[in-house]
Structures are given as structure tokens and as C-alpha cells.
Amino acid sequence: KIAAERPRLAAAFSSVRAESAVKRVAMALRRLAGDDQPPLIARALRGGAPREDDWADTPVQPTILCSTVDQVGSRLLFRGYGVSDRMKPVHAGLLGSDCLILLDEAHLSNPFRQTLTAIERLRRPDDAPFGFAVLTATPTVNAGPLFALSAQDEAHPVLSARIAASKPARLVEIAGKQGVDTESRRADAIAAEAMSVLTVLRSRIANPAVGVVLNRVARARAVFERLCDELAEAAEVMLVIGPARGVDRDRLAEKLACIRTGRDDLRSAMRKPLVVVATQTIEAGVDIDFDGLVTEAAALDALRQRFGRLNRAGRPDIMPEAVVLAHKEDIGDKADDPVYGDRIAETWKALNRWKTDGRVDFGIAAMKATVAGETLSDFTAPTPDAPVLMPAHADLWSQTSPIPATDPDVTLFLHGPNRSPAGIQIAWRADISRGDLQERAEGDPSRLTDLIALMPPRSSEAIEVPLWTARAWLQRPGAGQADFADVVGREPDGREARGTGRPAFRWAGKDSARTGVTRAGVLLPGDLIVVPAAYGGCDKWGWAPNSSETVSDVADAAAWPYRARRFAVRVAPELIEQGLRAEGRDVDPEVADKLAGVLGETDDRADALLETLSELRLLPQSIRTRIDLLASRKGRVTPEFAYGFDSEDRSRGVVFVASRGLRIDAGDVENFAAAPATEGDDLGAGSDAAEVTLINHCAAVRDFVQGFMRRADFLQAMIDDAKYVADLHDAGKADRRYQAYYAGGDPYGPDATQVLAKSGQRRLSRGAWERAGLPDDWRHEALSVRLALLHPGFASVHDPELVLWLIGTHHGHGRPFFPHADPEDAKTRDGLLLSYRLDFALAPGPGPQSLAFDFKGLDWAQMFERLKAKYGIWGLARLEAFVRLADHRASEVSAPRNVDAPHREAAE
């Protein structure tokens, strides 16, 4: 629905027939977003791939995020899973201030609801709007004020049909005892019941749709495989599980469109029956309408959600068929399910009390009447309480540079105690091998990092599995098939990883120390790992740890939404083979040798290589099409030979990178993703356009940050102070050595009259840093703070502490410590540190990285505490986000600007 409304909002500005309400909403949203932005964007925040957060492109863009408790909650608590430490404050500031959180299925997220309640209190004195509302069909006594359907709502013809629809279900106990082959017998029994339901429905409906819902991922796949064998060509069988790649899930959603609620036109066109085997992932956020349902017994609230997918539209012309199955393991006296505890057993007892003629009616009206007078909490999934969120917890989380050694586990505050931590994201790449991982560990320390950075992993090409499952799978292929659920539950005992197992590549961003080859035992919650496609473990349905088949590489499809900002074409033997097989073509056994020969014989200029490769017959059409798209690139295209060399010293492959992306239609801007531009020094310093002077860059940052703050209705005093932050945030780049770095390390290279903020080079080498004489941990922000103290206009700012803080933290360091160390810091202006004419001398005192830093009696860490007390923990992070995202946008533009004399004087 959100996707459908966005075009209406965008069109409201040009359409004379637009509804007045739509036009008013669109204009109000546009005033916030800005004239160059869509009035509203909607994004799925699936995971934490570094630099994938286009929803965080500006701090004022009206945005609707659809996400999970783990992804939103971890970001809100300054510990975003998969988010670099530098960007953690930005995400916390955007979600913890000027934000409304709608907590869907709140009965499953009671600990997070309690944490949100505490955050509302701990945000003070931040006065920006913040709140949350719970959405649930099964509210608890602690859910707060309820908003429910009125009598008028229930009388509506569409709603009344859905509410009154009858959904009778048989109760079946699976025969057999606990012990050996329990899982196999259970899967056989469930598959048999599904076949029976399908047979009954086929006597009533030409091509019925049947849902089969299981409590475990492994059990769902086992039942799916049995039904595929049994039904063969008689029906289409599909598998829907939570651990599936976003790219594959989107394709699956297209196939499920035929059974969406109200799509009778598509349903009537079905050519054969449809059986959908699913896990708990089908309980929420899925709009489908089954004719029949087979489900394992679960807690009552889960069952009611599942039955909400049975005759969802309340169609009067069908008689649905349903079965609830239970096994003794789940309903015995000692039953204790990792997800539902003893509530399956309690619910089963109640269902047997409530049944009439052997059936229980799960229709909305019927079940409401049935449970009247019952204590529903006796049958609903147990929800543990979160620990009490104390101010000390929030203070520790607000420290992101570095993360404190004593760091409260955010999992406890999202899901309560004794729950599995956040999962691991796994992405498969065909163009890396186990040998590459070994080389990364023992040989070239940067080649694999450089290769993956050319096409960074995206969350939609990854799946998420529990931490213990990922560890087990890396150690013992197939071991990851253990029974975990698609909702948070207790972690099984005895699942701890043993041995070294297969290596993986942990990706946390190119400049992160955590990026590199890793092993199972050291994986952490929220990690994203890249593994060779040859490892197997995934198919088009999702997680398949017993599969040894090479996994399809979907990185190109996952990167497609980002093509307006960055576009890359990978040409490697493994990708060529994959593309040829997908097109049903024969694979040349000498493809690797022929590709290396072409690369070795062709001029390494991009145009020459592209022309030769586009004519190469051995390329699949998928790669040819992507090569052709490079014709619409916005800037240069650079060939990167990151695949290494063969025994004859020929390149094994090439990646063509259009770092500024492809040209797109102006009307489609909102459908494309962006990425923050100054996450690392390589992006913050480089530019694929031209050299950008410090004066011009600061002027661009000033325009953006003051524009953001005006639209967000900040006080004029703060908007005025933002000018000084923008003008001085990069003043430290005037350091003579840093300017030499821009010249490749040549101390005589920089123009002494023009200080650069962007080098005009897309990438600067580490060797240039060393040749320029810069210490390893040198940070220009630390010098910027020292220079700001002596700026002539600094005495007139309204809040000097905030101005210094925003300057010092504009790259995410300094919360509250800097990695900065520089023996030159002790020198004065006579030390010739600066290459540019300044009207003030280098500050003689120590910088903010030192405990000896002193601003009106406060060191940097003390200033941090005082600013949090003044603006609030999340309010201060939001202010940082305004400055940093303005810097990102200005860096993204990366083009010289002419500024007038007053601006030039201010920058100087």
C-alpha cells in the first residue's frame, strides 16, 4: 500500500485533479524533504550490510521503514547489527529522535516494548517528537490503551464477511513415541494430512491453495521435499521460510500473487493446485488467502495468526478445510518448547475442551465467543521481561569510539533473557573460492578485501540464521539443519562450535579492522560473512545446509537498486559459467584460459576492454547486458584487475566500476538507493569528478546542514552555530602532510594557495599516506577542533561546546575518544604544519584526543557528558546526524562550486 501511495504523492504537485487532502500531505512532506527529494520514501531495513542505508541519506526525509526488532532495536541502542562503529550514532539519532515506532505483533515483542518505554524516559531533555504504538490482535493486560474495531467497523460489508467466516479445524494427534526417527515420522504424518486436505478440497474447488505451517525450519523443508515427491506434476509446491535471500524472496512473492486476498482474477487463472509449506514467517506481514490449512499445534496466539490466512477474504462460496496436528513431544506433561514453552500443551488441552463434533472453529467471531471468560495469557506464547533499562546502560551504549570493554548485551533488552542472540548474515559469491580465503589469511592481505569492496555485499543477497547455526554449518556441512524456528526462542544446549571448520570472510566495510578471514568460533551477533558459492547451503527457497550444490550468485540483482549511485560489472570465469548454465547453454571447459587470454592481449584501457569483451562469444547474455549498460554511466569507468593472476601472469578476471553510477530518469529517483559518502577516509577524501577545494566543500556542507535544520524547525541560534561547524569541520585537512597525501605523498605536489577537501582521485593508496609522513592513527578532526578554538568568529557562537563537539565527531570518532596520535601536535605555527594562509596560529594546547584537553575546565569526555545532559543522549546523536549527513551529501555532489567573497572569508 505504501508503494502504491508514493506515486500519488509525487504526482500531486503536477496534477490539477489531485485530491486536496493528497496534495496537502504531499506539500507538507515536500517541505521537510526538500524540493530535490521525493515527498515520501518507503524502505525495507532487512539487515546490516555496511553503507547500505539509503534511508539515512538525509535527516529530514519523510521515511517509512519496515524492519525487525533486531535491526531497529540494535540501532536504537547504538549497537546496530552490521553497522560500523562510526555510523552507530547516526542511526541511533535518526531512530531515537523525531520518530514514531509501530510495534507490530507486539505480543511477541514484550521485552522491546518495555525497553521503548524506558527510552521515552531516558531521552529527556530532548524535546523532539518520539513515541511508539503497539499493534496486535492478541493484546496483553500490559499493552496499554487499546484501539479496536467499532460496531460500525464490524458492520462494514467487507469486514463483516471476514469476521463471520467459519474456519473449522480437526484436531489430530500424531501417533508414535519420542525417540529415534521422531522427526521423520512427524514429517511423514504432516505431509499425509496435507495430501488428505488437498484431496478433499479438490472435490470442491478446481485448483485449491493449501497452506502447511510448521514450527521449525528443518521440519518445513522435510515436509516440502516429501510433498514435492508425492505430488510431482499434480500440484505446484512452494517453500516459504524466514532464512531466505531477499532477491529470492521477492521472486517468490510474485508467484504468490495469485492467492493474495481479493485477487480472484489471478486465482481463477491458476492451472494447478498450490501447496505452500511455510514456517512462522507466514504469521505476520503476508497477505495470502488459503482454501485449506494444515498446521502444527502452537500457542493459541500463533494459531490464530495462522488461521488468519485461511479464507482471509471471508469468501462465502468456499468451505475451508483445516487440520491442527500435535505430537506427544509437544503436548506431554514435560513438554517445554524452545519458542512456546508449555503453551502448546496448554493450548491443546483447551482446544479439546472447546471442540464441537471433533472440530474447533477458528473464525474470528467464533473464536472470540469461545475464549470469552478464559484467561488468554494461559495459552499465549510466554514473553519474558526485559531487564530494567538504567541510565548507566544508555550512557555506556552512547560510547561508540571505542565500544567500552563492559558493554551491556542489547539482546537482553530486545528479547529478554535466555533468548538466542541476533543472527549471522551469510552471502554467497561465485567469484571467490576457499583458496582465495586461504590466500587472504596467509598471502596477500588485501586482494580479497579489494575484490569484495568493488561490489560490496547487500542485505538482499544474504540470509540470516542463528549464530549457533552458522557456526555449526561452517564446521560441519549439513550440521546447520538443526531445528530452529522463525521466531526468537531459547538457544539449544550443546550447539557450541567445535574445531576450526571452513573459513569465511567477515565484511564490515573496507576500512574496518573486523573485515577479513574469520572462523566459526569467533563470529559475533550481527556479523555478515561472505562464503564461496561452492560451499552450498542455500537454494532458491532459502537455507539448505544439507545441500552441496553450488549456490547461485545474486550479487548483481542485489546491487541493482543502487545502480544510480554505483554500478559494477564483474567478469570472471565462475560468473561466466553460472550465466551460461542459467541460459541453458553449454559451458566451454576452457573459459578461464580464454578469458585470461583476452585480458592479456587487450589494452587495459576501459574502452578497449569493453569493446573486446562485448564481442566475446563465450560471455552469457546477462554479462553482455550489464556491459552495455555502462554506456549510460555518469562518470568514468575503471577496470579493476582484482581477481589475481594465473600461472602465466595473466589477469583471471576484471571488474568494471562506474563509481558515480548510471544515468536514470529524474522521475525514478525515489526508486533507487544511495549510500553514505564519508563512512571511510577513502571515500571522504576521494572524488571521481574533480578536485574540490576546502572552501567549496565547506560551503556545500553549510548549505545542506542549515537547510536540513530549517526544515526541521530548529531554533535560529542553532542554525547559526551550524554555519561555524560546517566552515571549520575540515580545517584540519590544511595540514601540509594531508595535502601531500592528496598529491600521492609528494610534499611538493599541493598548490599552496588552494587547500583541497577532495583529491580528484577516486581512490588514494595507503602508500601515499605513509609517503606524506602521516602517522597511522592521525585524524584531521582532532586538528580541526584545535583550529576552531582560535577562529575569530568562535567567540560569538551560542553553544561553543556543541560546535566543538560536532566538529570533532563528524567522522564518528571522539565518542568520547580519538585514535589520533601525532608527535607534531606539540609544535606551534612555526612548525610549518599548515600549507594554507590562516589568520590564526595553530592552537598551542593539546587536542581533544588528550586527557589534558581543556575547554573552560572540561576535557573532551566531560564535555560529552555535559552535552548529553543538555540535549539528551539521542538528541545529541541526532544533531551529529544532521552535520554528518550534510557532509555525506556535499561529498556525494563532489563538484567544484563558485562561492562569493563572504563565504570565502568565512571558510578561511
Side-chain angles (χ1 to χ4, degrees):
K1 290 181 179 179
I2 294 167
E5 289 302 317
R6 284 182 295 158
R8 294 185 64 199
L9 289 168
F13 297 99
S14 57
S15 175
V16 295
R17 296 183 178 180
E19 300 175 36
S20 59
V22 175
K23 183 166 288 189
R24 288 198 304 271
V25 170
M27 292 178 67
L29 293 173
R30 176 61 62 85
R31 280 194 293 270
L32 289 171
D35 292 338
D36 61 336
Q37 297 296 315
L40 178 69
I41 65 171
R43 294 289 185 264
L45 182 56
R46 286 169 169 160
R51 291 199 283 271
E52 190 169 283
D53 303 291
D54 64 299
W55 60 271
D57 199 27
T58 83
V60 290
Q61 171 67 61
T63 303
I64 297 176
L65 286 177
C66 300
S67 190
T68 64
V69 167
D70 280 314
Q71 292 300 331
V72 169
S74 64
R75 284 164 166 77
L76 186 60
L77 299 180
F78 290 86
R79 292 297 180 269
Y81 295 141
V83 179
S84 69
D85 290 351
R86 294 189 192 186
M87 287 298 290
K88 283 181 170 66
V90 172
H91 288 227
L94 294 179
L95 293 174
S97 192
D98 196 17
C99 182
L100 171 65
I101 295 175
L102 302 178
L103 186 59
D104 196 15
E105 306 302 337
H107 59 287
L108 300 177
S109 307
N110 189 55
F112 187 43
R113 181 188 62 79
Q114 294 169 326
T115 296
L116 288 173
T117 301
I119 288 175
E120 283 189 310
R121 171 175 45 85
L122 293 174
R123 290 182 64 256
R124 300 169 187 158
D126 182 10
D127 59 358
F130 177 85
F132 72 95
V134 298
L135 311 176
T136 178
T138 54
T140 65
V141 293
N142 298 319
L146 299 180
F147 175 82
L149 295 176
S150 66
Q152 184 179 5
D153 293 329
E154 293 182 353
H156 190 280
V158 174
L159 281 179
S160 61
R162 298 187 181 193
I163 293 171
S166 178
K167 305 178 184 183
R170 293 184 290 115
L171 305 182
V172 175
E173 186 170 338
I174 299 175
K177 298 180 180 180
Q178 302 181 43
V180 181
D181 292 333
T182 297
E183 279 298 320
S184 179
R185 290 198 305 271
R186 184 185 293 209
D188 288 339
I190 296 169
E193 286 293 342
M195 294 283 292
S196 176
V197 167
L198 181 61
T199 300
V200 171
L201 286 172
R202 291 192 70 176
S203 66
R204 307 171 187 165
I205 306 171
N207 292 308
V210 177
V212 184
V213 187
L214 293 308
N215 294 340
R216 297 290 186 275
V217 172
R219 195 175 300 151
R221 186 170 281 277
V223 172
F224 167 73
E225 292 170 353
R226 283 164 171 77
L227 289 173
C228 286
D229 292 339
E230 292 289 338
L231 294 172
E233 298 298 323
E236 183 172 6
V237 185
M238 301 172 68
L239 179 65
V240 180
I241 57 178
R245 298 184 294 190
V247 169
D248 296 325
R249 189 184 297 115
D250 291 343
R251 294 169 182 163
L252 182 59
E254 293 178 5
K255 292 185 176 182
L256 287 173
C258 61
I259 56 171
R260 287 187 61 181
T261 307
R263 293 307 306 268
D264 294 338
D265 56 331
L266 296 178
R267 185 183 293 269
S268 62
M270 290 171 55
R271 297 183 177 180
K272 60 174 64 176
L274 174 64
V275 179
V276 179
V277 182
T279 54
Q280 293 97 334
T281 191
I282 212 170
E283 292 179 13
V286 180
D287 181 19
I288 52 179
D289 188 353
F290 291 125
D291 303 306
L293 181 67
V294 177
T295 174
E296 285 192 287
L300 181 61
D301 50 344
L303 286 177
R304 294 177 75 177
Q305 292 286 343
R306 297 174 190 183
F307 274 88
R309 274 71 191 161
L310 178 63
N311 194 15
R312 186 175 180 85
R315 290 168 287 152
D317 56 335
I318 73 159
M319 185 190 311
E321 188 74 15
V323 180
V324 181
L325 300 104
H327 190 277
K328 189 172 182 61
E329 281 187 342
D330 300 325
I331 59 176
D333 293 337
K334 297 182 180 180
D336 185 19
D337 187 83
V339 175
Y340 304 111
D342 64 351
R343 303 306 166 82
I344 298 179
E346 294 301 318
T347 297
W348 189 252
K349 294 175 185 176
L351 292 176
N352 278 281
R353 283 194 289 108
W354 299 338
K355 68 183 179 182
T356 302
D357 297 330
R359 295 175 184 262
V360 176
D361 194 339
F362 279 87
I364 296 174
M367 184 55 66
K368 182 178 180 180
T370 298
V371 301
E374 298 276 1
T375 304
L376 291 182
S377 59
D378 293 341
F379 315 120
T380 55
T383 54
D385 291 324
V388 177
L389 180 53
M390 306 294 290
H393 293 131
D395 280 331
L396 285 169
W397 286 326
S398 70
Q399 299 175 36
T400 57
S401 177
I403 302 295
T406 302
D407 192 38
D409 182 4
V410 297
T411 302
L412 297 174
F413 297 86
L414 304 181
H415 302 297
N418 302 318
R419 296 299 189 203
S420 297
I424 296 294
Q425 290 190 89
I426 306 175
W428 285 261
R429 291 289 177 91
D431 56 347
I432 66 171
S433 66
R434 186 164 181 170
D436 291 327
L437 296 173
Q438 194 72 23
E439 174 189 300
R440 173 63 176 85
E442 299 177 357
D444 186 345
S446 62
R447 189 185 69 79
L448 195 52
T449 300
D450 291 342
L451 172 61
I452 294 177
L454 295 174
M455 183 172 278
R458 302 296 184 184
S459 59
S460 58
E461 67 175 294
I463 67 169
E464 185 172 332
V465 298
L467 175 62
W468 57 269
T469 301
R471 286 175 170 171
W473 176 71
L474 283 174
Q475 290 178 323
R476 301 179 302 280
Q481 187 70 326
D483 57 345
F484 65 91
D486 262 347
V487 293
V488 176
R490 296 195 308 270
E491 181 175 344
D493 296 329
R495 301 292 186 192
E496 188 60 38
R498 296 288 184 272
T500 57
R502 299 175 295 181
F505 192 86
R506 175 163 51 198
W507 177 256
K510 185 178 179 180
D511 59 341
S512 172
R514 300 186 65 247
T515 290
V517 174
T518 188
R519 298 283 179 170
V522 296
L523 291 177
L524 298 174
D527 277 349
L528 186 154
I529 60 174
V530 181
V531 298
Y535 276 13
C538 179
D539 60 17
K540 66 179 181 179
W541 307 110
W543 181 238
N546 286 337
S547 172
S548 59
E549 294 293 322
T550 299
V551 180
S552 63
D553 183 320
V554 297
D556 292 338
W560 182 247
Y562 298 83
R563 63 191 182 277
R565 307 298 178 121
R566 179 183 175 84
F567 186 72
V569 181
R570 298 172 299 157
V571 184
E574 301 83 359
L575 295 170
I576 293 174
E577 292 174 6
Q578 173 183 283
L580 292 174
R581 291 193 182 96
E583 294 170 9
R585 295 170 57 187
D586 294 334
V587 176
D588 189 333
E590 298 181 356
V591 62
D593 183 66
K594 290 183 178 179
L595 176 62
V598 169
L599 295 177
E601 296 169 2
T602 307
D603 189 328
D604 61 3
R605 291 180 299 107
D607 291 343
L609 283 168
L610 288 170
E611 181 178 356
T612 301
L613 288 173
S614 64
E615 298 173 356
L616 196 61
R617 294 180 57 84
L618 62 83
L619 289 185
Q621 186 58 45
S622 56
I623 294 181
R624 290 174 183 273
T625 299
R626 293 181 65 82
I627 288 176
D628 291 342
L629 286 170
L630 287 171
S632 63
R633 63 185 181 270
K634 288 186 287 189
R636 296 186 301 230
V637 59
T638 306
E640 301 282 359
F641 302 95
Y643 287 107
F645 302 91
D646 64 9
S647 58
E648 298 180 28
D649 202 30
R650 301 175 301 180
S651 296
R652 292 190 62 253
V654 61
V655 182
F656 296 99
V657 180
S659 60
R660 298 184 66 199
L662 305 180
R663 295 186 181 89
I664 60 172
D665 293 336
D668 290 336
V669 170
E670 67 178 285
N671 297 319
F672 295 86
T678 53
E679 175 74 357
D681 277 338
D682 56 341
L683 293 174
S687 167
D688 194 38
E691 292 181 348
V692 181
T693 66
L694 182 61
I695 292 174
N696 285 322
H697 174 66
C698 290
V701 174
R702 179 169 62 247
D703 292 344
F704 277 117
V705 69
Q706 290 189 316
F708 290 160
M709 297 181 84
R710 288 190 188 97
R711 295 199 292 275
D713 203 24
F714 275 83
L715 295 175
Q716 187 60 46
M718 297 188 72
I719 297 174
D720 292 340
D721 281 357
K723 166 186 176 297
Y724 289 96
V725 176
D727 287 344
L728 298 171
H729 77 289
D730 273 352
K733 289 184 177 181
D735 185 288
R736 172 179 48 79
R737 297 164 298 173
Y738 198 82
Q739 293 296 298
Y741 164 56
Y742 280 170
D746 180 2
Y748 299 102
D751 181 350
T753 64
Q754 289 289 321
V755 175
L756 299 181
K758 306 294 174 185
S759 66
Q761 303 177 50
R762 190 172 63 84
R763 189 171 63 244
L764 296 163
S765 69
R766 188 64 186 175
W769 185 275
E770 295 169 351
R771 289 190 296 273
L774 286 165
D776 288 343
D777 295 325
W778 189 87
R779 298 299 315 175
H780 70 270
E781 311 96 287
L783 179 55
S784 295
V785 170
R786 299 176 72 191
L787 294 175
L789 287 167
L790 295 180
H791 189 278
F794 184 71
S796 64
V797 302
H798 299 87
D799 190 338
E801 293 173 20
L802 179 63
V803 169
L804 291 177
W805 179 261
L806 295 178
I807 290 172
T809 59
H810 80 270
H811 273 287
H813 294 293
R815 290 187 121 249
F817 302 118
F818 287 87
H820 178 87
D822 185 4
E824 297 284 347
D825 279 351
K827 297 184 179 181
T828 65
R829 184 179 180 181
D830 294 336
L832 300 179
L833 266 174
L834 301 180
S835 64
Y836 190 55
R837 180 184 63 81
L838 295 168
D839 294 331
F840 44 92
L842 183 62
Q849 78 283 355
S850 171
L851 292 177
F853 177 80
D854 184 354
F855 180 71
K856 298 182 178 179
L858 299 175
D859 63 27
W860 191 257
Q862 290 171 330
M863 200 163 69
F864 184 29
E865 295 304 314
R866 191 145 94 173
L867 288 169
K868 286 189 293 184
K870 183 174 182 179
Y871 294 101
I873 290 174
W874 284 269
L876 180 61
R878 182 185 180 223
L879 288 169
E880 293 173 36
F882 271 72
V883 172
R884 295 185 62 189
L885 294 178
D887 193 15
H888 291 182
R889 290 294 304 279
S891 298
E892 187 180 275
V893 173
S894 292
R897 302 172 68 253
N898 293 319
V899 294
D900 54 25
H903 280 178
R904 180 177 295 275
E905 291 175 5
E908 291 175 353

